[in-house]
Amino acid sequence: MDYKELVKNCLKGKSEAQKKLYDLFAADMLGVCYRYTKSTADAEDVLQEGFIKVFRNLQHYREEGELGAWVRRIMVNSALNYLKQSKRYSTELLFEEDHLHPVSTENPMVFLQAKELADLIRQLPTGCQTIFNLHVVEGFTHVEIGEMLGIHTGTSRSQYARARTMMVAWIEKGNETIKQRRYAGK
């Protein structure tokens, strides 16, 4: 795929090129948006807003990196903006210092299916879910996350640790349930 030609045709306003760009990235980017929201409808709203930004800012794409990575960054930023602006999510994104948890060094050796892990991440409180996704999935440092969300680096670390601790507990509880079923003959 010649992305350079595709971008050029999109900038010329050719609708078939714009549709092709959308079709190339929409499914993957919906998954990105879904990781930050709590419903498919919200993820679709974020995707729509994200693609509006992609097409409005396509002239700023400098072809220095992969087009998909550039689109992904816009989708992540669109998701973060959506969370901050949505009344449903904004109260859950408040990071209060008195609710911070100490960093844990626990590391359970558990194998989960990708869907099971994604479902667990989606059960986290919105703030923890957001920071967990930004750090683990997107690869941002806590300093970068702090700058993106306007929070202290320590808050980012603490929320990540809280998310991790919650997930470890859920995973361990799930493993105990599986062991009990296995030994009970079910």
Side-chain angles (χ1 to χ4, degrees), residues 6-24:
L6 181 62
V7 168
K8 188 188 311 182
N9 287 332
C10 285
L11 290 171
K12 288 180 183 177
K14 294 185 177 182
S15 60
E16 64 275 358
Q18 292 170 340
K19 182 178 180 344
K20 188 171 187 170
L21 179 80
Y22 179 86
D23 290 344
L24 277 170

Side-chain angles (χ1 to χ4, degrees), residues 16 18 31 36-37 48 53 55 62 69 78-79 88 96 106-107 121 125 135 155 169 171 184 186:
E16 64 275 358
Q18 292 170 340
Y36 290 91
T37 60
Q48 181 179 0
K53 291 175 186 173
F55 289 117
R62 297 198 189 333
S78 296
R88 177 176 169 206
E96 299 174 13
E106 294 177 34
N107 188 11
I121 293 169
H135 185 65
T155 303
I171 291 167
K186 294 183 181 180

Side-chain angles (χ1 to χ4, degrees), residues 27-164:
D28 289 340
M29 295 305 123
L30 181 60
V32 170
C33 298
Y34 192 62
R35 275 199 301 270
Y36 290 91
T37 60
K38 300 287 186 191
S39 73
T40 303
D42 289 345
E44 289 170 345
D45 288 346
V46 172
L47 182 74
Q48 181 179 0
E49 286 299 315
F51 268 107
I52 289 170
K53 291 175 186 173
V54 165
F55 289 117
R56 280 188 184 154
N57 295 293
L58 201 52
Q59 73 275 7
H60 298 298
Y61 173 64
R62 297 198 189 333
E63 300 173 15
E64 294 171 355
E66 186 182 324
L67 179 60
W70 184 79
V71 171
R72 181 186 190 94
R73 180 69 185 238
I74 289 174
M75 292 300 162
V76 169
N77 287 332
S78 296
L80 294 177
N81 288 337
Y82 184 84
L83 294 176
K84 290 175 187 175
Q85 294 171 357
S86 171
K87 287 182 182 178
R88 177 176 169 206
Y89 294 105
S90 63
T91 56
E92 294 179 29
L93 275 177
L94 296 176
F95 300 100
E96 299 174 13
E97 297 293 331
D98 60 332
H99 294 343
L100 301 181
H101 296 268
V103 175
S104 170
T105 58
E106 294 177 34
N107 188 11
M109 295 299 291
V110 178
F111 298 98
L112 295 175
Q113 297 290 330
K115 184 180 180 332
E116 293 172 320
L117 184 58
D119 289 343
L120 283 177
I121 293 169
R122 293 181 50 68
Q123 291 177 39
L124 292 168
T126 302
C128 292
Q129 176 186 355
T130 301
I131 289 174
F132 189 87
N133 280 320
L134 288 170
H135 185 65
V136 175
V137 179
E138 306 298 339
F140 290 108
T141 66
H142 291 293
V143 171
E144 292 169 325
I145 294 169
E147 290 170 359
M148 292 168 83
L149 297 177
I151 60 175
H152 295 288
T153 301
T155 303
S156 176
R157 289 181 196 281
S158 175
Q159 289 294 308
Y160 168 71
R162 178 177 178 216
R164 209 170 138 217

